[in-house]
Amino acid sequence: MRNPTHPERGAVPAEAALMMRVLAGDRPALVEIHDRYYPAVYRFVSLQVADPDLAADLTSDVFVRFLEAITGPNPPQSTLKGWLFGVAKNVVRGHYRQVYRHPEVGLEEDVDSDDAELDAAVTRDEERAALADAMSALTEEQQHVLALRYGAGLPILEAAETMGKTAGAVKQLQARAVAALARQMTQRTASV
Amino acid sequence: MNAQSDDLRHEAELIDALDALERGESVEAVLRRNPAAAEALRPAIETAAALAAAARPPSAAQVDASRNRLLAAFDALAAGAASAPSSAASSTSAASLTRAASQSPAAASHRPRLAIDRDVAPPRPMTRRAPRPLRTIWAMAAGVAALLVGVPVAYAASNALPGDALYAVKEAGRGAWLATAPGAEAHRARSAAVSAARRADVAVAMAGGRNADVLFEGVIEAYATEWCRISGLTVNVPPDVAQYGASEHPGAFGVGDHVFIRARMNAGRLVAFEMLPYLDYGLPAPTVPHGPADSRLAPSPTPSPAVPGGTAGVPGTTAAVPGAPTSDPPLVGATAPGRARPATTADSPGRADDSRSTGGQDVGDDDRGGDDRGGEDEGNDDKGGDDKGGEDEGDDKGGDDKGGEDEGGDDKGGDRKP
């Protein structure tokens, strides 16, 4: 589509052409989409899901869903990046919904090691898990903005475009989300 | 009132501090910038720093595994659709993908897992599997069923036209044929053949007076105000869909451009509702010879290259029949004010982008963020609350609070609707 009256909108057709190539059965186009967006979507997911293997599986789900959607009767109409993060948000939400319905049987892992490096890695993982856990108590939008900004690492303008908001709105939402998360972390630390 | 203004001031200070942190300043440096508010800001700034450190990139193995899984699903989709036991392509797609997904480790991702699993063994499907002899019998039965049902369906699909339920099967067969091309050269040849076959299908369907949506690609051979001829097919292109002629509209389409078209066939006419540059990622322009450039709308037949597999080599190729209106305005041809450019593989992505970027393009970006076709979006994306000027953006809806854990100070003003 071409509309010279909106010159500020530029790069989207390359994505659309990629999607149409996938529709036409072009494997390299599919690989290009996957490799271009997988890292950002993974970081987006991994901020909310502490287990790296699970984050990888969920990220992979996002791309299979993309393939399902693009070959279905109603292919994505939004920007590809926005669509992928939207689906990633829902995949993570679906995962937690499933977890709440069928709580994981936790086994106490008694890590007994003198290895300082391992200890540090465990501590980092615990911090990640605590953050992901605390994030799950925020509103959907707050989680989304934090995952976009700190997970996927999107600049403010791209996050604003992805969320359909102004840059100012995203900054405000981000600040509130960070403050809410800090309160959650403080509460959890106090309760422990 | 004072409490509210204090909250707003604190929020503004936090936004400034987060900006500074994002620019690379350390937590302590950020806090030193505003000593009066340092203690109040510290928890949030430390949390933001922890968040930034928590995100990690994927490993190469994770990327590879995901790519392989996606390609397996893609192949299953193509193969499943090519021998589809169902006339509905979408259900075929879903079934194939579900099958492919269930064979991957990610199928277990939505199920509860023992916490220790990740350290002991890779995630694996937790579905209960039948004993091997039974699985073999099932597999054989499924194979026979696929043959019994799939072959007649595939045969019927080979004659399908746009608008037929089986046309999606025919397209999937083409996709599979493309996907299995042995090498880049073969892929290019097949791609060109598929493009020509699609246009031939459109021409036949138009001649039959069908009403359906179609997708095809081709080269702009000539154009008029709202019409253009694309590799022999005459298409009505409303100005809100595309414009032509680089001299009149910088960045617009011109003669020789290779384009994708989504169009609606109606009463023997093709009306485009989407037109995109076909960026050359190694695929050739269609091999269809250009018709007379400056003639009135008398579309030339669309020949199909001879490739094994169908009447013209492409799975499910139909005969090329000219079909287009004959009472349309004259077209501007290769000598038109537009850029006369040969339709060859020399059309590089960079060229296509560069020459058009001035015009700006818009492909469905009105539905930004959250356009979820998976049916799970609960509509909580606030798209109407983008108040400019730093007012409350309506970002925190009351319904989003979870289990009351979001304490009062969290959603300051966020629950208020404008």
Side-chain angles (χ1 to χ4, degrees):
Chain A
M1 204 183 316
R2 182 162 303 257
N3 190 347
T5 59
H6 296 290
E8 71 277 12
R9 294 173 176 173
V12 175
E15 285 185 346
L18 262 181
M19 288 198 277
M20 292 175 98
R21 285 177 54 214
V22 173
L23 264 180
D26 189 356
R27 277 174 124 233
L30 186 62
V31 170
E32 187 173 339
I33 288 174
H34 176 274
D35 290 359
R36 183 185 295 180
Y37 293 110
Y38 186 93
V41 176
Y42 176 86
R43 290 195 303 269
F44 175 94
V45 172
S46 69
L47 199 63
Q48 301 166 84
V49 178
D51 181 345
D53 293 336
L54 181 56
D57 287 351
L58 294 178
T59 307
S60 186
D61 281 351
V62 172
F63 287 91
V64 172
R65 281 213 201 178
F66 160 73
L67 186 58
E68 277 179 334
I70 199 173
T71 53
N74 298 307
Q77 299 295 312
S78 61
T79 62
L80 181 53
K81 187 188 287 179
W83 189 88
L84 287 172
F85 286 125
V87 172
K89 178 181 76 173
N90 289 323
V91 165
V92 171
R93 187 165 57 195
H95 162 71
Y96 279 116
R97 198 178 291 142
Q98 193 74 18
V99 168
Y100 292 141
R101 280 196 204 118
H102 307 284
E104 185 174 278
V105 181
L107 294 183
E108 289 297 325
E109 293 180 59
D110 188 13
V111 179
D112 185 14
S113 168
D114 293 333
D115 188 340
E117 195 172 322
L118 178 61
D119 285 347
V122 169
T123 303
R124 277 197 302 274
D125 281 350
E126 285 173 352
E127 285 171 357
R128 283 194 183 103
L131 275 172
D133 189 42
M135 268 183 76
S136 68
L138 305 186
T139 68
E140 297 284 354
E141 226 173 15
Q142 288 172 340
Q143 291 178 47
H144 196 48
V145 76
L146 293 182
L148 284 176
R149 295 282 285 129
Y150 295 104
L154 293 193
I156 201 86
L157 288 177
E158 281 189 41
E161 186 185 12
T162 301
M163 296 188 76
K165 291 183 175 295
T166 62
V170 170
K171 280 189 175 189
Q172 188 181 40
L173 179 60
Q174 178 188 344
R176 290 180 181 183
V178 168
L181 183 62
R183 278 193 294 275
Q184 285 290 334
M185 296 292 285
T186 307
Q187 271 185 352
R188 282 156 200 252
T189 307
S191 67
V192 172
Chain B
M1 190 66 180
N2 280 340
Q4 192 175 3
S5 63
D6 283 350
D7 288 344
L8 290 174
R9 183 172 48 78
H10 177 70
E11 190 169 273
E13 289 169 346
L14 179 55
I15 289 173
D16 287 343
L18 291 175
D19 282 346
L21 193 66
E22 189 176 357
R23 287 195 298 271
E25 293 186 27
S26 68
V27 171
E28 294 306 322
V30 169
L31 294 176
R32 275 199 301 273
R33 292 162 62 99
N34 191 351
E39 283 315 301
L41 289 173
R42 180 177 291 279
I45 297 304
E46 287 179 344
T47 300
L51 273 175
R56 57 187 151 198
S59 68
Q62 286 172 327
V63 178
D64 288 346
S66 175
R67 187 191 305 114
N68 291 338
R69 180 190 172 203
L70 184 64
L71 288 175
F74 181 78
D75 292 343
L77 174 66
S83 60
S86 160
S87 62
S90 57
S91 61
T92 302
S93 307
S96 304
L97 287 170
T98 304
R99 191 167 58 248
S102 70
Q103 291 163 355
S104 76
S109 63
H110 293 301
R111 300 186 179 91
R113 297 192 305 159
L114 297 181
I116 202 167
D117 274 353
R118 64 177 182 268
D119 297 327
V120 174
R124 58 190 178 279
M126 296 177 71
T127 49
R128 196 187 310 163
R129 305 192 70 192
R132 183 167 293 280
L134 198 53
R135 288 210 307 270
T136 308
I137 292 171
W138 274 114
M140 289 173 62
V144 171
L147 275 177
L148 288 177
V149 181
V151 170
V153 169
Y155 176 76
S158 69
N159 295 318
L161 288 173
D164 290 341
L166 286 178
Y167 192 67
V169 177
K170 185 178 186 177
E171 281 286 287
R174 288 170 175 165
W177 190 61
L178 263 182
T180 54
E185 196 58 38
H187 190 279
R188 273 192 286 275
R190 289 186 181 189
S191 178
V194 165
S195 297
R198 278 199 191 108
R199 291 192 300 271
D201 286 348
V202 172
V204 173
M206 281 178 60
R210 285 171 178 252
N211 297 332
D213 289 353
V214 293
L215 164 71
F216 63 95
E217 60 268 15
V219 174
I220 297 178
E221 298 170 335
Y223 62 83
T225 308
E226 292 190 17
W227 292 87
C228 69
R229 189 168 57 228
I230 298 170
S231 294
L233 291 171
T234 302
V235 185
N236 174 209
V237 186
D240 61 331
V241 172
Q243 296 188 359
Y244 323 97
S247 60
E248 301 96 332
H249 306 290
F253 288 111
V255 169
D257 280 352
H258 192 177
V259 291
F260 266 119
I261 294 287
R262 279 186 196 273
R264 187 152 294 148
M265 282 191 300
N266 194 0
R269 285 182 175 236
L270 268 175
V271 182
F273 54 85
E274 192 169 31
M275 184 161 164
L276 297 167
Y278 186 114
L279 302 183
D280 181 9
Y281 291 89
L283 301 179
T287 54
V288 180
H290 291 196
D294 54 355
S295 63
R296 296 182 71 82
L297 293 182
S300 57
T302 308
S304 300
V307 185
T311 34
V314 185
T317 302
T318 47
V321 173
T326 55
S327 57
D328 296 312
L331 298 173
V332 177
T335 55
R339 294 153 296 162
R341 197 181 298 130
T344 67
T345 52
D347 283 353
S348 69
R351 194 268 319 153
D353 270 338
D354 295 343
S355 64
R356 295 168 180 147
S357 59
T358 52
Q361 299 166 355
D362 172 21
V363 177
D365 56 356
D366 290 333
D367 295 331
R368 289 175 296 179
D371 178 22
D372 174 33
R373 303 282 166 183
E376 292 182 22
D377 195 352
E378 295 170 5
N380 54 4
D381 285 340
D382 175 23
K383 297 187 178 167
D386 286 343
D387 303 328
K388 305 246 182 344
E391 296 154 10
D392 178 70
E393 300 289 339
D395 49 321
D396 299 332
K397 295 178 182 176
D400 283 337
D401 287 354
K402 293 182 174 175
E405 294 180 47
D406 201 6
E407 65 272 71
D410 180 1
D411 293 335
K412 292 190 289 280
D415 289 331
R416 293 189 295 275
K417 303 285 182 189

